[in-house]
Amino acid sequence: MDGTAKILKYEFHNILRSKWMIGYAIFFLVITDGLFRFVGTDAKVILSLMNIILAVIPLASIIFGAMYVYHSREFIELLLSQPIGRKNIYWGIYCGLSLTLSAGFVAGTGLPFLLEGVIDAEYLSALMLLLTAGVLLTWIFTALAFWIAVRYEDKVKGIGAAMLIWMFFTVVYDGFILLVIYWFDDYPLEPAIIGMSLANPVDLARVMLLLKFNVSAMMGYTGAVFHQFFSASTGLGVSLSVLILWAVTPFLLGLRYFQKKDF
Amino acid sequence: MYAGVASAKDLIVGKGGEFSTIRSAIESAQDGDRIIIKSGVYREGALEIHRSITLTGEGKAVLDGENKFQILTVKASGVTISNLTFENVGVSYVQDNAAIKLIESYNSAVIDNRFRNAFFGIYLSKSGFCTIRGNDLIAAAEKEASSGNGIHLWNCHDITIENNSIQHHRDGIYFEFVKRSTITGNHSIGNLRYGLHFMFSDTCVYEDNIFKNNSAGVAVMYTKKITMKRNRFEDNWGAASYGVLLKDITGSDIAGNAFVNNTVGIHAEGTSRNRIAGNEFLNNGWAVRIMANSTDNVFSQNNFIGNAFDVATNSRQNYNVFDSNYWSAYDGYDLNRDGVGDVPFRPVRLFSLLIEQYPTALILLRSFLIDLIDAAESVIPALTPETLADANPRMRRLP
């Protein structure tokens, strides 16, 4: 793993030098700070942040990720000519990008909370869950991006596919859930719907966070069923494991492809 | 010696008094007498009062029902009961055993007593012009069937209920067939069913009360001409929990109340010609849920802030008026800066209509797709009631 660490180090240098990474952190900083100024209470800030995070992080991670791999193609080819394993190279580049993206997000979002000094125990766990969800989403969509980028040689095709995947998870999939609810209205759907939301990382993160914030609308009968599943420690454990699985699977798929790929 | 009504005596029960039991004092008391009960625990089973006397405690005088008996039954008018502690009323599935039961009693008063573990606390039946003030009731209700109401009124009129605190009973305050009564400054908290529950109780006034954390909130039914002002309905959460459930309520005035953190702030069914004004709806799941059989209600000058759904309904028609409210979800503009938004606000989201029909769709709350659909619907209403709109939405929170 020595090779991985070395690549990781250079990746960090490289990414931190470029300005867009700083911009990414500042974006979250400005949004969070703005919400504090205009929305007020910390519970509401977290709730509003949730909507932004659920849309922006997947989009940013998947587009950045894909572009990054395309841009680093020459660098990768150079590395391949060195006596370093392909596995190490892939690990190094993936971790370099996903860790800096997560760091940018955590710093940008967390700093205003620290500065406002509003972190009381009640919201601390909600904030932690929000940051965890954001970081996991970053890993998931960066892994997806890498997979796409090594899979498609053509940059335009790759970016297009990345956009489509983002659209699918944030919009199309929910439409599909809606259709299922409409079609199978006569059946007890709650377990099936819980299953379906586990299968989409964006939905999963959203439901997990919503129930954490105790949105009172979720307390009706249906809400109670969801609440029972997701807020129990097993439910939270299952949700987090599924999110991690969502990051690991595309990563391994991408890695396998990368190892066999003919450059 | 004269033996007249005017010569009211003090009868002392307990330490240093001439009576050792309350029963013997009650038996020898005449109209107008005062029985003073010294501190101590009195286990005397069920007591009955048939004369206009005053019963008052000194120190901590406890009347214990030993989990078997109803404690005090009053069958006379002009009776005052104060400063006593009532404990352990017997639970019965057949009779409504109470710590204090007033039957056909007029001009009586129950003041500053403590009730612990009473089945029913204060029970009034066919009574009038009575005052219930400053009592503190705490029970440990676990099941609806084996628990009683804190303050229970049946077929009464002109009753004043002030500054009482009722916790962990079945219903905090329960009225059936009550007229012209005033309920002020009470705290009804953590009750097993409703904080306040009444039906067929016209022209009553409810002011400055707090109903908090009751498992089903507050439900009021089949009643005309209620006045509800400056009450707080707070933290009533659950599948069937309401800040206020209005069923067949007409000609009433609901003003200046606060509805905070309820699953549903106001749920209205068959409810007509009411004025709902100057209320604050804060952080509820649904602020107002109004069914299609409710008509001619006027919602004005209310603040709707941070609710997941401001207004929900089950119909495309609208027979109610929403005017001059403040909606935190309003995103219109005010070019002439008169404080009133230039475009109407439609508080019914398409999504709320959707979950009325498909409750499971709740899982899509705050999803990107739903926000898109809601945005499209608010521009061109196709499914939401087109006339349910606030034409004069306020730009700033109303005081």
Side-chain angles (χ1 to χ4, degrees):
Chain A
M1 278 297 155
D2 190 38
T4 310
K6 219 168 233 165
I7 294 169
L8 194 59
K9 204 178 103 191
Y10 285 112
E11 285 296 309
F12 271 137
H13 274 289
N14 190 19
I15 294 169
L16 286 177
R17 243 200 334 246
S18 67
K19 292 188 186 67
W20 58 262
M21 192 56 233
I22 312 280
Y24 187 65
I26 287 176
F27 168 78
F28 283 108
L29 193 86
V30 168
I31 292 276
T32 315
D33 190 61
L35 284 173
F36 265 116
R37 281 172 211 281
F38 295 112
V39 179
T41 61
D42 15 345
K44 277 187 147 180
V45 169
I46 297 177
L47 210 56
S48 311
L49 263 179
M50 184 190 87
N51 279 27
I52 294 160
I53 284 169
L54 289 179
V56 168
I57 287 193
L59 183 64
S61 304
I62 205 162
I63 298 293
F64 274 165
M67 301 252 279
Y68 189 75
V69 176
Y70 287 123
H71 278 299
S72 322
R73 192 182 164 90
E74 283 168 17
F75 177 59
I76 293 170
E77 279 171 10
L78 179 75
L79 283 176
L80 287 172
S81 65
Q82 306 297 317
I84 312 171
R86 286 196 169 195
K87 206 173 174 179
N88 292 352
I89 297 172
Y90 197 78
W91 267 101
I93 296 174
Y94 173 77
C95 290
L97 183 67
S98 61
L99 290 181
T100 34
L101 279 176
S102 327
F105 157 67
V106 171
T109 312
L111 203 62
F113 277 89
L114 276 179
L115 289 178
E116 291 281 327
V118 286
I119 302 178
D120 63 88
E122 198 186 332
Y123 298 121
L124 188 61
S125 63
L127 178 65
M128 281 301 158
L129 194 65
L130 182 84
L131 293 180
T132 312
V135 168
L136 285 172
L137 283 176
T138 309
W139 293 354
I140 292 167
F141 282 89
T142 315
L144 284 167
F146 272 54
W147 183 29
I148 293 165
V150 294
R151 185 79 178 65
Y152 294 104
E153 203 71 9
D154 183 359
K155 198 166 156 183
V156 179
K157 249 189 198 166
I159 302 287
M163 285 295 287
L164 278 179
I165 284 185
W166 175 77
M167 281 283 273
F168 176 76
F169 282 129
T170 44
V171 184
V172 179
Y173 193 86
D174 289 349
F176 184 59
I177 289 186
L178 212 53
L179 273 181
V180 169
I181 290 169
Y182 173 73
W183 282 332
F184 301 102
D185 184 37
D186 299 334
Y187 300 90
L189 268 180
E190 284 82 8
I193 295 299
I194 288 176
M196 282 185 77
S197 48
L198 283 176
N200 176 352
V202 180
D203 273 349
L204 182 54
R206 180 174 52 78
V207 175
M208 209 170 73
L209 285 165
L210 267 187
L211 289 164
K212 181 75 196 171
F213 298 132
N214 258 337
V215 175
S216 31
M218 299 296 270
M219 294 298 290
Y221 167 71
T222 337
V225 176
F226 297 144
H227 196 258
Q228 206 178 15
F229 176 77
F230 283 103
S231 70
S233 53
T234 47
L236 193 65
V238 169
S239 314
L240 287 176
S241 322
V242 171
L243 282 179
I244 290 170
L245 201 69
W246 257 109
V248 172
T249 315
F251 175 80
L252 289 179
L253 286 171
L255 178 61
R256 214 182 61 173
Y257 204 86
F258 183 75
Q259 280 173 318
K260 285 189 293 189
K261 188 176 158 88
D262 184 18
F263 277 92
Chain B
M1 287 289 278
Y2 301 98
V5 194
S7 64
K9 296 189 304 279
D10 278 356
L11 312 177
I12 318 269
V13 180
K15 258 177 238 140
E18 66 240 68
F19 297 95
S20 58
T21 63
I22 302 171
R23 187 180 304 277
S24 55
I26 290 175
E27 273 164 11
S28 58
Q30 297 299 314
D31 282 348
D33 284 355
R34 192 160 71 135
I35 297 177
I36 296 167
I37 304 169
K38 298 281 188 185
S39 21
V41 180
Y42 299 85
R43 296 191 178 86
E44 302 189 29
L47 297 165
E48 281 200 13
I49 295 176
H50 294 277
R51 291 179 198 283
S52 309
I53 55 173
T54 296
L55 222 69
T56 187
E58 258 188 28
K60 198 184 179 209
V62 179
L63 279 69
D64 189 340
E66 300 171 73
N67 292 316
K68 275 188 279 194
F69 307 102
Q70 164 153 301
I71 301 178
L72 210 52
T73 310
V74 177
K75 291 183 173 169
S77 295
V79 174
T80 302
I81 298 162
S82 63
N83 279 325
L84 290 166
T85 300
F86 296 84
E87 285 181 359
N88 307 326
V89 175
V91 172
S92 162
Y93 294 92
V94 188
Q95 283 174 309
D96 294 339
N97 284 345
I100 301 177
K101 189 180 273 182
L102 273 64
I103 301 170
E104 293 182 36
S105 177
Y106 291 83
N107 299 308
S108 292
V110 178
I111 295 169
D112 295 334
N113 299 289
R114 278 155 50 95
F115 300 79
R116 293 290 177 271
N117 196 20
F119 180 48
F120 281 77
I122 304 166
Y123 191 117
L124 275 69
S125 150
K126 296 186 195 164
S127 299
F129 303 104
C130 294
T131 303
I132 299 169
R133 185 193 308 135
N135 298 289
D136 173 30
L137 299 95
I138 300 177
E142 282 169 11
K143 280 193 297 192
E144 275 188 24
S146 60
S147 59
N149 304 325
I151 298 175
H152 180 110
L153 271 62
W154 183 75
N155 207 350
C156 294
H157 61 88
D158 300 289
I159 307 287
T160 304
I161 299 177
E162 287 180 334
N163 302 339
N164 301 286
S165 155
I166 308 127
Q167 293 181 46
H168 306 296
H169 274 273
R170 182 173 63 196
D171 289 348
I173 300 173
Y174 177 97
F175 286 3
E176 205 173 337
F177 308 109
V178 175
K179 308 272 177 281
R180 299 183 301 276
S181 292
T182 308
I183 297 87
T184 319
N186 301 287
H187 293 196
S188 182
I189 296 168
N191 294 294
L192 202 55
R193 198 170 63 182
Y194 299 112
L196 168 71
H197 187 193
F198 64 74
M199 53 205 95
F200 312 109
S201 296
D202 300 346
T203 52
C204 288
V205 177
Y206 303 84
E207 288 177 338
D208 302 298
N209 301 290
I210 296 177
F211 302 101
K212 192 174 169 178
N213 204 9
N214 300 297
S215 20
V218 167
V220 301
M221 308 168 188
Y222 314 110
T223 297
K224 292 174 199 146
K225 294 183 189 157
I226 311 164
T227 306
M228 273 192 177
K229 286 188 175 160
R230 300 182 303 277
N231 302 288
R232 275 186 83 81
F233 302 90
E234 210 176 333
D235 293 333
N236 299 296
W237 280 27
S241 194
Y242 305 93
V244 179
L245 180 141
L246 303 169
K247 177 154 176 58
D248 285 81
I249 300 291
T250 46
S252 296
D253 193 14
I254 298 172
N257 302 289
F259 299 86
V260 184
N261 284 337
N262 303 290
T263 299
V264 181
I266 292 184
H267 177 101
E269 232 177 279
T271 288
S272 303
R273 301 190 302 282
N274 300 291
R275 185 181 84 102
I276 295 113
N279 300 290
E280 179 115 339
F281 295 90
L282 194 66
N283 292 337
N284 301 287
W286 285 266
V288 173
R289 240 167 112 178
I290 188 155
M291 299 294 114
N293 55 4
S294 298
T295 58
D296 304 306
N297 298 293
V298 178
F299 292 82
S300 65
Q301 314 266 333
N302 300 292
N303 284 320
F304 290 86
I305 297 163
N307 305 295
F309 302 103
D310 286 325
V311 178
T313 180
N314 58 351
S315 165
R316 284 213 59 200
Q317 308 301 321
N318 168 48
Y319 306 100
N320 301 289
V321 178
F322 289 84
D323 192 44
S324 304
N325 300 287
Y326 168 75
W327 312 85
S328 66
Y330 181 60
D331 50 8
Y333 47 85
D334 177 21
L335 287 182
N336 55 3
R337 301 207 170 267
D338 59 352
V340 177
D342 296 349
V343 285
F345 177 66
R346 296 180 199 288
V348 180
R349 294 169 55 188
L350 177 61
F351 185 46
S352 75
L353 221 64
L354 197 73
I355 48 180
E356 285 295 324
Q357 212 165 352
Y358 306 105
T360 329
L362 198 57
I363 197 130
L364 297 175
L365 182 68
R366 281 178 169 265
S367 109
F368 198 56
L369 174 77
I370 294 299
D371 290 348
L372 282 180
I373 293 176
D374 275 343
E377 174 73 16
S378 72
V379 177
I380 310 152
L383 296 167
T384 52
E386 209 181 329
T387 55
L388 203 166
D390 188 334
N392 302 299
R394 297 291 151 141
M395 295 306 288
R396 292 195 176 278
R397 186 172 180 161
L398 292 149

